[in-house]
Amino acid sequence: GSKSPDEVVGDLGADILAQLPPLLTREDCHPMVFLEQEGAVNSLGTFLSIEMEKFNRLLRVVRSSLMEMAKALKGLVVMSAELDVMYSCFITMKVPPKWSGVAYPS
């Protein structure tokens, strides 16, 4: 038979969560990127630091909201209004507003 809406949302959330990469760190980058020259990090290092922080913020928001959704579907926490919107977005295959609020403009 077909899946219930809760199963669809739970499966989609688990699938997304399983594919999320770990947070980015300076250690993941080539050592030359953050090499200081004359007491300052080069412009690529500065730019990359800013972009890594933006991406990590997105990863944190996505990961935490997916974990909260999983708990709500199991009845371990209350389904907040924000999670309810996310639930509806998953059913209609749209990006939740909470995610797009911290995502790169598209």
Side-chain angles (χ1 to χ4, degrees), residues 12-48:
L12 181 57
D15 189 45
I16 295 169
L17 191 58
Q19 294 181 54
L20 285 180
L23 295 178
L24 301 174
T25 67
R26 283 182 171 217
E27 291 76 34
D28 297 327
C29 301
H30 192 280
M32 296 295 292
V33 172
F34 296 106
L35 188 65
E36 289 193 16
Q37 298 168 337
E38 300 174 18
V41 175
N42 65 47
S43 57
L44 176 61
T46 301
F47 174 77
L48 187 57

Side-chain angles (χ1 to χ4, degrees), residues 67-94:
M67 290 168 43
E68 279 300 298
M69 177 64 77
K71 290 177 189 174
L73 291 172
K74 292 177 184 171
L76 302 175
V77 297
V78 175
M79 180 75 76
S80 66
E82 190 173 78
L83 287 176
D84 192 48
V85 168
M86 187 172 147
Y87 184 102
S88 297
C89 287
F90 276 23
I91 293 295
T92 58
M93 296 300 189
K94 294 183 180 170

